C-alpha cells in the first residue's frame, strides 16, 4: 500500500499536531509488521505440491467450478516430470487413461505441430510418452491455463497449520501459513478440502497423520519381497533375513544430456569434486566389467540413456550395475529431515553424479576408449536454462507413506485362483501397471552383484482402492502421492502415471465431499468411479476397450461390479506357457496383458451369459435381461451395453 504522507502534511494546522503524530506512529507501526496478517479469501480446494498428481487433482476438480489453489515449495511446477524424469514408466499402453493420457496426446500434438507428422521427433516422442522437460512444462501450463478457477503459487514453504479436533480425535484442517521464499513474507490461506500431492507427505505429517518410513518385515504382512533381501532372477538368495528396518530406496538425479554438438554443454569440474571418490570406476572400466559408459538397454554400462526427441536422453541409474548413480544408503535421513538436512542430501546427490561423469570424461586413469564415449555427451543447453542446465529436483522414489483407511501390500497384486487377473477391488479408483520394483536400499555386500533390497517382480495389472489416499483421523485431507502402503506395495504404485491417476481420483473425491458436504471418508467409491469414468479415467484394466470406445463407460461400470472377472473361465482355458510380458520397445513397455480383453465382436457364450445373469442380485431385473437376451443372439459388446443400460436404469 502506498501512503502519500507529504500531501496530507501540507494541510495540517497547529491544532492537528496530535493527529500528525498519531498518523506517523500508525504508518511506522504498520511498516514494521509482517505482511502475513492478511488472510486470503477461502479456497474450496488447496493442493500442496504441484507434482503431476497435484496438477491432475486440480484439473479433475476444476471441471466443477471449484475455486482451487495449488501451492508449490519449489519455483517450478510439474515435480519430477519437469525435472528430468522424461522417460515415463508403465508396462502396457492399455493401462493409461484420464488426465495422464490427455497429457500424452498433447505432447504428441506439440511435436506434430512443430516438426511434422512424419518427423523423427514425433517418432521419438513415442505417442507423447517421451517428452523433453521444457515441453512437459509448457503442456502442464497449457492444461492449467484452460481453467481460470485454478490458481498457482510457487516458491511457498509450509510453516504452520491451523486445525480443529472433535471429541473423537478427528481433525479438520482450516488454514495453512505459508512463507514466500522470494520476499520472506508470510500469508495465511484457508480452505475447505486439502490435498497433499508432495513426494514427502509434508502437509499430511504436519497435520498429524501417522506414517511409515523404510521396510516392513516379511512376517508383518506375509510379503515375500519384504525386509532385508537379496533377490536376483526371481530367486531369494541366501542371507535374506526378511527383517524390517528404516532403510529407504535409493534416489538419484535424472540429468538431461545430448550427443548433439550444437546443443551440448561440457561439464566443468564440480566445486566439491574429490577425485578419490571415483577411482574405483577406473578399475571397473580397465577390467571391462561394462562394455560402454552410456547404454540404452541392459545393465552393461554406467549410465542408462533413455532416449527422447531431439537427440536427448533422460539419464538414469542402472539397477545392480558395478557403479551406481544412486547413492544407496545416503538418503535415510531425507524423509523426516528438515530443510537443511534435505538440502544437504540433495546437494550430495547432485555433486556425486556430476563428479562421476566428470571423472569418466576426463581422468587419465580411465581407458581412452571410455573417455571418448563419455565425451560425446553433455548437458542439454536448452533444458533447465535458469538452473545451469541441471534438473532442480532430486528423484525421490519413496519417502514417507501416510497411514490410510486401506493399507496396500504385495498381497493386493495376487491373482484369483486359476487366472491371470488380480483380486477384484470394488472400491478401486486407479490402475497400477508396473513391477513391484526397488532400486535397492544399500550397496551390494554379501552378494557382489546384488544390492540389498533390489527387486523386480511383474504382476498383472492391479486395482488401487480409494482408501489408500484417505489418511486416518483427518476429515478433509487426501494424500495422492505418499499413499498408504507397505514398502513393497508402494514400489508398484510409485510411478508418475499411477500417481497421476490417484491425483485425479483425489480431485474427484474432493469435489464430491464439497458437493455433498461430507467428510472425506464418507464419500462413496461408486460415486468417485462414476465421475472418473465420465472423465475417461480407468479403474479396471480391460485391454481392448479404450477411452474413445463406445463400450468404455459400460465396460468400466460393469467391471467395477465384478463382471469382467467372468470373461475368461479358467476351468476351460489352459494357462500353461502363457507369455505375460512381451516387450515392445527394448526393455520398456509391453503388449497388452493377456486374458484381460472383452472382444466385443465375439458372440456371447451361453455360459458367460449365465455368469453375468447370476451377478444381478435383483431377480426382476435379471428376468428382464434374460427375456431381452432370448429375443436374439448377442455379441459380447451387445451383451455389455444391454446389461449396462438395464442396471443403470434401475439405479435411477
Amino acid at each position: 500500500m502506498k501512503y502519500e504522507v507529504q500531501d496530507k502534511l501540507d494541510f495540517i494546522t497547529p491544532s492537528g499536531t496530535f493527529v500528525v503524530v498519531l498518523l506517523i506512529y500508525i504508518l511506522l507501526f504498520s511498516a514494521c509488521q509482517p505482511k502475513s496478517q492478511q488472510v486470503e479469501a477461502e479456497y474450496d480446494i488447496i493442493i500442496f505440491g504441484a507434482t503431476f498428481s497435484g496438477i491432475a487433482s486440480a484439473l479433475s476438480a476444476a471441471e466443477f467450478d471449484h475455486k482451487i489453489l495449488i501451492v508449490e515449495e519449489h519455483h517450478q511446477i510439474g515435480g519430477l516430470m519437469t525435472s528430468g524424469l522424461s522417460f515415463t514408466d508403465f508396462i502396457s499402453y492399455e493401462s493409461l487413461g484420464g488426465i495422464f493420457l490427455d497429457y500424452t496426446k498433447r505432447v504428441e500434438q506439440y511435436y506434430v505441430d512443430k516438426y511434422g507428422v512424419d518427423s523423427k521427433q514425433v517418432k521419438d516422442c513415442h505417442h507423447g510418452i517421451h517428452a523433453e522437460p521444457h515441453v512437459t512444462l509448457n503442456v502442464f501450463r497449457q492444461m492449467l491455463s484452460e481453467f481460470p478457477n485454478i490458481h498457482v503459487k510457487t516458491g511457498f514453504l509450509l510453516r504452520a497449520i491451523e486445525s480443529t479436533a472433535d471429541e473423537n480425535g478427528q481433525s479438520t484442517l482450516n488454514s495453512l501459513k505459508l512463507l514466500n521464499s522470494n520476499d520472506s513474507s508470510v500469508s495465511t490461506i484457508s480452505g475447505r478440502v486439502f490435498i497433499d500431492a508432495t513426494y514427502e507427505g509434508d502437509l499430511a505429517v504436519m497435520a498429524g497423520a501417522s506414517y511409515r518410513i523404510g521396510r516392513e518385515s516379511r512376517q508383518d504382512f506375509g510379503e515375500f519381497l519384504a525386509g532385508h533381501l537379496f533377490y536376483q532372477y526371481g530367486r531369494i538368495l541366501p542371507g535374506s533375513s526378511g527383517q524390517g528396518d528404516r532403510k529407504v530406496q535409493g534416489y538419484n538425479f535424472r540429468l538431461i544430456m545430448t550427443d548433439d554438438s550444437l546443443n551440448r554443454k561440457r561439464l566443468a569440474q564440480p566445486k566439491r569434486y574429490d577425485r578419490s571418490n571415483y577411482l574405483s570406476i577406473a578399475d571397473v572400466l580397465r577390467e571391462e566389467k561394462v562394455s560402454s559408459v552410456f547404454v540404452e538397454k541392459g545393465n552393461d554400462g554406467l549410465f542408462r540413456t533413455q532416449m527422447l526427441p531431439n537427440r536427448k536422453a533422460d539419464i538414469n541409474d542402472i539397477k545392480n550395475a558395478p557403479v551406481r548413480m544412486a547413492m544407496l544408503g545416503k538418503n535415510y535421513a531425507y524423509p523426516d529431515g528438515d530443510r537443511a538436512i534435505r538440502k544437504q542430501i540433495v546437494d550430495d546427490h547432485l555433486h556425486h553424479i556430476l563428479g562421476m561423469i566428470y571423472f569418466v570424461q576426463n581422468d587419465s586413469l580411465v581407458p581412452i576408449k571410455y573417455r571418448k564415449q563419455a565425451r560425446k555427451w553433455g548437458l542439454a543447453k536448452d533444458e533447465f536454462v535458469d538452473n545451469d542446465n541441471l534438473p532442480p529436483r532430486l528423484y525421490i522414489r519413496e519417502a514417507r507413506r501416510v497411514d490410510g483407511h486401506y493399507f496396500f501390500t504385495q498381497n493386493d497384486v495376487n491373482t484369483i485362483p486359476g487366472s491371470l487377473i488380480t483380486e477384484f477391488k470394488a472400491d478401486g479408483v486407479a490402475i497400477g501397471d508396473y513391477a513391484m520394483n526397488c532400486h535397492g536400499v544399500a550397496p551390494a555386500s554379501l552378494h557382489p552383484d546384488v544390492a540389498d533390497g533390489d527387486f523386480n517382480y511383474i504382476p498383472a495389472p492391479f486395482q488401487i482402492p480409494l482408501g489408500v489416499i484417505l489418511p486416518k483421523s483427518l476429515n478433509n485431507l487426501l494424500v495422492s502421492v505418499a499413499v498408504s502402503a507397505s514398502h513393497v506395495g508402494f514400489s508398484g504404485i510409485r510411478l508418475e502415471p499411477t500417481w497421476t491417476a490417484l491425483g485425479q481420483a483425489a480431485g474427484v473425491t474432493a469435489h464430491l465431499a464439497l458437493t455433498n458436504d461430507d467428510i472425506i471418508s464418507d464419500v462413496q467409491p461408486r460415486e468417485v468411479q462414476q465421475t472418473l469414468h465420465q472423465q475417461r479415467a480407468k479403474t479396471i484394466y480391460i485391454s481392448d476397450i479404450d477411452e474413445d470406445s463406445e463400450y468404455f463407460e459400460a465396460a468400466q461400470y460393469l467391471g467395477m461390479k465384478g463382471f469382467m472377472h467372468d470373461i475368461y473361465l479358467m476351468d476351460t482355458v489352459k494357462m500353461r506357457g502363457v507369455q505375460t510380458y512381451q516387450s515392445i520397445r527394448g526393455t520398456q513397455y509391453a503388449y497388452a496383458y493377456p486374458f484381460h480383453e472383452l472382444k466385443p465382436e465375439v458372440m456371447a457364450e451361453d455360459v458367460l451369459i449365465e455368469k453375468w445373469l447370476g451377478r444381478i442380485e435383483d431377480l426382476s431385473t435379471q428376468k428382464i435381461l434374460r427375456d431381452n437376451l432370448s429375443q436374439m443372439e448377442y455379441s459380447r459388446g451387445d451383451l455389455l451395453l444391454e446389461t449396462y443400460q438395464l442396471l443403470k436404469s434401475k439405479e435411477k
Side-chain angles (χ1 to χ4, degrees), residues 85-143:
L85 197 161
S86 306
F87 195 93
T88 312
D89 283 326
F90 60 89
I91 290 184
S92 70
Y93 301 93
E94 291 76 16
S95 66
L96 302 179
I99 289 170
F100 190 89
L101 188 60
D102 178 39
Y103 154 78
T104 65
K105 290 179 177 179
R106 290 172 185 250
V107 168
E108 184 174 40
Q109 190 60 51
Y110 166 86
Y111 285 112
V112 168
D113 292 344
K114 185 167 184 177
Y115 299 104
V117 68
D118 296 322
S119 65
K120 181 170 173 48
Q121 287 85 351
V122 170
K123 179 181 178 181
D124 289 346
C125 84
H126 206 65
H127 307 294
I129 297 162
H130 301 160
E132 300 158 276
H134 73 271
V135 174
T136 292
L137 180 59
N138 288 337
V139 169
F140 286 169
R141 287 170 172 165
Q142 177 194 45
M143 295 171 82

Side-chain angles (χ1 to χ4, degrees), residues 336-547:
D336 266 346
D338 59 21
R339 282 181 53 78
I341 290 173
R342 287 183 178 177
K343 183 179 185 305
Q344 185 62 57
I345 291 171
V346 171
D347 288 347
D348 289 346
H349 280 71
L350 180 59
H351 283 88
H352 165 70
I353 179 56
L354 295 181
M356 186 176 168
I357 293 174
Y358 179 81
F359 178 84
V360 177
Q361 288 183 335
N362 296 284
D363 200 278
S364 60
L365 288 181
V366 175
I368 188 64
K369 72 171 184 177
Y370 292 112
R371 269 185 280 161
K372 286 183 177 179
Q373 291 174 9
R375 287 176 181 173
K376 292 180 180 178
W377 290 84
L379 297 176
K381 292 179 182 178
D382 60 347
E383 297 292 348
F384 318 124
V385 293
D386 56 351
N387 196 50
D388 203 22
N389 307 116
L390 297 170
R393 301 285 295 267
L394 178 64
Y395 185 9
I396 307 301
R397 289 187 171 91
E398 176 183 356
R400 300 179 178 120
R401 306 184 306 278
V402 175
D403 293 327
H405 287 262
Y406 191 93
F407 187 70
F408 191 93
T409 73
Q410 183 182 345
N411 299 313
D412 286 295
V413 303
N414 291 336
T415 56
I416 59 178
S419 81
L420 292 178
I421 301 175
T422 53
E423 294 176 353
F424 175 60
K425 299 286 193 300
D427 55 351
V429 294
I431 296 172
D433 185 26
Y434 198 64
M436 303 286 109
N437 179 281
C438 180
H439 275 238
V441 303
S445 53
L446 182 61
H447 301 275
D449 299 327
V450 181
D452 178 8
D454 183 288
F455 57 77
N456 192 74
Y457 170 76
I458 301 177
F462 51 89
Q463 294 172 282
I464 306 173
L466 175 63
V468 305
I469 64 174
L470 308 180
K472 295 178 179 178
S473 304
L474 291 161
N475 288 328
N476 63 338
L477 173 68
L478 297 114
V479 175
S480 63
V481 177
V483 298
S484 177
S486 68
H487 164 70
V488 180
F490 191 83
S491 73
I493 292 175
R494 60 165 192 86
L495 295 314
E496 292 288 342
T498 312
W499 277 333
T500 302
L502 290 171
Q504 186 167 357
V508 167
T509 305
H511 153 66
L512 292 170
L514 290 169
T515 302
N516 301 329
D517 199 23
D518 283 340
I519 63 173
I520 291 295
S521 58
D522 286 345
V523 174
Q524 295 302 303
R526 181 69 68 190
E527 290 186 81
V528 178
Q529 293 159 2
Q530 181 176 346
T531 306
L532 287 171
H533 299 160
Q534 291 168 354
Q535 294 182 344
R536 319 318 280 177
K538 300 175 181 178
T539 57
I540 193 166
Y541 184 87
I542 305 166
S543 64
D544 61 346
I545 304 295
D546 222 333
E547 85 289 345

Side-chain angles (χ1 to χ4, degrees), residues 543-614:
S543 64
D544 61 346
I545 304 295
D546 222 333
E547 85 289 345
D548 56 356
S549 168
E550 63 177 310
Y551 303 111
F552 177 78
E553 286 194 48
Q556 290 291 315
Y557 173 88
L558 291 180
M560 296 314 300
K561 290 181 174 291
F563 281 66
M564 293 304 152
H565 281 61
D566 288 335
I567 289 292
Y568 286 96
L569 312 172
M570 295 309 167
D571 55 339
T572 62
V573 176
K574 294 181 179 180
M575 303 298 293
R576 182 174 298 174
V578 171
Q579 176 63 52
T580 60
Y581 184 94
Q582 297 184 56
S583 177
I584 291 177
R585 190 181 187 278
T587 59
Q588 191 75 15
Y589 314 131
Y591 291 98
Y593 207 92
F595 295 108
H596 284 71
E597 65 266 36
L598 174 66
K599 293 185 177 179
E601 73 285 352
V602 172
M603 298 308 298
E605 308 92 328
D606 289 342
V607 65
L608 178 63
I609 292 173
E610 290 302 318
K611 284 274 188 177
W612 280 23
L613 286 168

